[in-house]
Amino acid sequence: ALRGGAQRSLAFGWVAGLGLLGLVGVLWRKSVAAEVAARALDRQRHLAALGEMSAVLGHEIRNPLASLKGHAQLLQRKLRDEPVLEAKAALVVGEAERLERLTSRVLAFARSAEPDLQAQDPAPLLRGLADRLGEARLAVELPASLPSWPLDADWFPQAVENLIRNGLEAGEGTVTLSARTERGRLIIDVRDSGPGFPPGDRERIFEPFATDKTRGTGLGLAIARRVVEQHGGRIAALDAPGGGGLVRITLEPTS
């Protein structure tokens, strides 16, 4: 009787212990999910506030900048007979154009409109982007066609272009653009010949204004991530086989 009672108590203890372990597992998963959701919500709020600020600054800068550039161009034309002064005016025009590009990137980051998703063959869309860029160091490895995918024909190539330009700035070698489907997903890789991404920076590089470059806004990769997420996908910085950096866009199949 004592042995039977002990065995029943032991069995009950095992069942109770397993039940408690299961409960702890469920609570831990819920805690992790809640923490992830809270971080995502904080990030969205931060990006929304940053986007509003960027939009205001961009619009406030654009109008006086256009006036400045226009007057500098007029002055440059009037100084054609004075090379030294013309060069100075040309410098003002060049810097105004650089600020215009910067302002356009800031406004692009602030853009919150939903993408115009239309069924597209990604292969000719990406091939057209490569032809338009005309970069000698850009290698393209694309199939003749890929399964049709809902893409914004203007903004999705812009996201890929930002990755290509980032790769070109990372090193002197070739940047390779490739695309394929895998398990129903569309995967686009941009591989460069630079030093790669330090493990601690692989998430930070997609944050707005995060850059170690002396020139640039640090918005190219942030815009790329926003566009990819608007397409229901994800973007990641990885190590390229054989060295270099690899940025991968993964788009999930639509239901």
Side-chain angles (χ1 to χ4, degrees):
L2 288 172
R3 188 181 298 111
Q7 289 175 342
R8 286 192 294 273
S9 297
L10 182 61
F12 176 78
W14 274 103
V15 170
L18 291 173
L20 286 173
L21 284 175
L23 180 60
V24 168
V26 170
L27 292 175
W28 179 78
R29 286 196 295 271
K30 287 186 175 181
S31 174
V32 170
E35 185 178 348
V36 170
R39 284 202 301 267
L41 183 59
D42 286 342
R43 176 172 164 268
Q44 290 299 323
R45 287 173 177 168
H46 173 69
L47 290 178
L50 201 56
E52 290 177 7
M53 181 190 71
S54 300
V56 171
L57 287 176
H59 284 297
E60 289 296 323
I61 291 171
R62 173 168 280 184
N63 291 336
L65 184 60
S67 176
L68 173 66
K69 176 186 170 184
H71 283 83
Q73 287 173 327
L74 288 173
L75 184 61
Q76 183 183 6
R77 285 196 288 270
K78 289 181 177 294
L79 293 173
R80 286 177 180 169
D81 295 332
E82 302 183 52
V84 175
L85 294 178
E86 183 190 12
K88 293 182 181 298
L91 179 62
V92 175
V93 172
E95 287 301 295
E97 290 174 343
R98 185 176 70 85
L99 286 174
E100 275 186 337
R101 292 192 295 271
L102 187 151
T103 304
S104 296
R105 293 176 77 84
V106 169
L107 290 174
F109 173 76
R111 172 183 177 271
S112 59
E114 291 298 317
D116 180 17
L117 300 180
Q118 301 290 336
Q120 309 274 349
D121 183 340
L125 199 65
L126 295 174
R127 198 173 291 110
L129 166 64
D131 292 341
R132 178 169 58 82
L133 292 177
E135 290 284 350
R137 292 195 289 125
L138 177 60
V140 179
E141 297 177 357
L142 296 171
S145 64
L146 287 163
S148 182
W149 215 272
L151 300 172
D152 187 309
D154 294 323
W155 277 97
F156 191 76
Q158 180 63 57
V160 179
E161 178 181 342
N162 290 354
L163 303 185
I164 292 171
R165 294 196 181 280
N166 187 74
L168 291 169
E169 293 172 0
E172 298 297 325
T174 301
V175 173
T176 304
L177 169 65
S178 61
R180 67 187 185 278
T181 54
E182 187 176 287
R183 297 179 181 177
R185 300 181 178 93
L186 175 63
I187 297 175
I188 298 169
D189 287 342
V190 177
R191 186 173 69 249
D192 64 51
S193 58
F197 304 105
D201 288 347
R202 293 185 182 181
E203 184 63 25
R204 186 185 70 86
I205 61 172
F206 295 108
E207 294 297 327
F209 308 110
T211 180
D212 297 325
K213 301 169 186 173
T214 56
R215 295 175 72 90
T217 61
L219 284 174
L221 295 181
I223 292 171
R225 178 165 70 174
R226 171 168 286 190
V227 172
V228 169
E229 289 178 348
Q230 285 179 325
H231 282 73
R234 60 184 185 275
I235 190 170
L238 309 168
D239 289 326
L246 171 67
V247 180
R248 172 167 294 165
I249 295 173
T250 304
L251 299 183
E252 298 290 336
T254 56
S255 56

